[in-house]
Amino acid sequence: MVHGGMVMTFADHALGLAARSVNRTHAQATVQLDTAFLSGVEEGEFVEARCRMLRETKSILFMSAEIAVGDRAVANATGLWKIRGPEATPRGSI
């Protein structure tokens, strides 16, 4: 079985990439990530994240994801991403 911490890391990374696709002008940081485990993941299974933005304010993105193996949901994740100011974006990054 794949450790739940790896599933959470995958969810955090996928949601962060989805948040980045919504707001490309400023850096962002995860402020909260809640995960509910629904089923186990066996080693070798292909896991995907179906992410969406729920709401956007001036400084926070509200995101959710279904983590699945095919049609089987293995976890649900919701989280908040803080939109940081342009001064927080390192030189050379998008």
Side-chain angles (χ1 to χ4, degrees), residues 15 28 52 55 57 65 68-69 86:
L15 284 164
Q28 292 136 80
R52 65 188 182 112
R55 184 170 180 238
T57 69
V69 172

Side-chain angles (χ1 to χ4, degrees), residues 4 9 27 37 39 43 51 61-64 71 73 79 81 93-94:
T9 299
F37 299 100
S39 178
E43 184 177 339
C51 304
L61 296 173
F62 296 75
M63 306 292 294
S64 73
D71 291 336
W81 271 256
S93 64
I94 296 175

Side-chain angles (χ1 to χ4, degrees), residues 1-7 37-45 47 69 72 74:
M1 295 297 281
V2 175
H3 190 280
M6 291 185 74
V7 174
F37 299 100
L38 309 172
S39 178
V41 176
E42 297 286 339
E43 184 177 339
E45 288 186 309
V47 181
V69 172
R72 177 173 46 101
V74 296

Side-chain angles (χ1 to χ4, degrees), residues 2-93:
V2 175
H3 190 280
M6 291 185 74
V7 174
M8 290 178 69
T9 299
F10 176 68
D12 183 41
H13 187 71
L15 284 164
L17 288 174
R20 187 69 170 168
S21 73
V22 170
N23 177 5
R24 300 191 66 80
T25 58
H26 300 301
Q28 292 136 80
T30 308
V31 229
Q32 181 175 334
L33 180 65
D34 299 313
T35 308
F37 299 100
L38 309 172
S39 178
V41 176
E42 297 286 339
E43 184 177 339
E45 288 186 309
F46 183 79
V47 181
E48 65 180 310
R50 300 172 187 139
C51 304
R52 65 188 182 112
M53 184 180 65
L54 302 173
R55 184 170 180 238
E56 179 180 9
T57 69
K58 193 166 139 179
S59 61
I60 298 284
L61 296 173
F62 296 75
M63 306 292 294
S64 73
E66 177 186 61
I67 311 303
V69 172
D71 291 336
R72 177 173 46 101
V74 296
N76 288 321
T78 57
L80 306 176
W81 271 256
K82 171 73 175 161
I83 300 170
R84 300 169 63 197
E87 68 283 350
T89 305
R91 286 190 195 265
S93 64

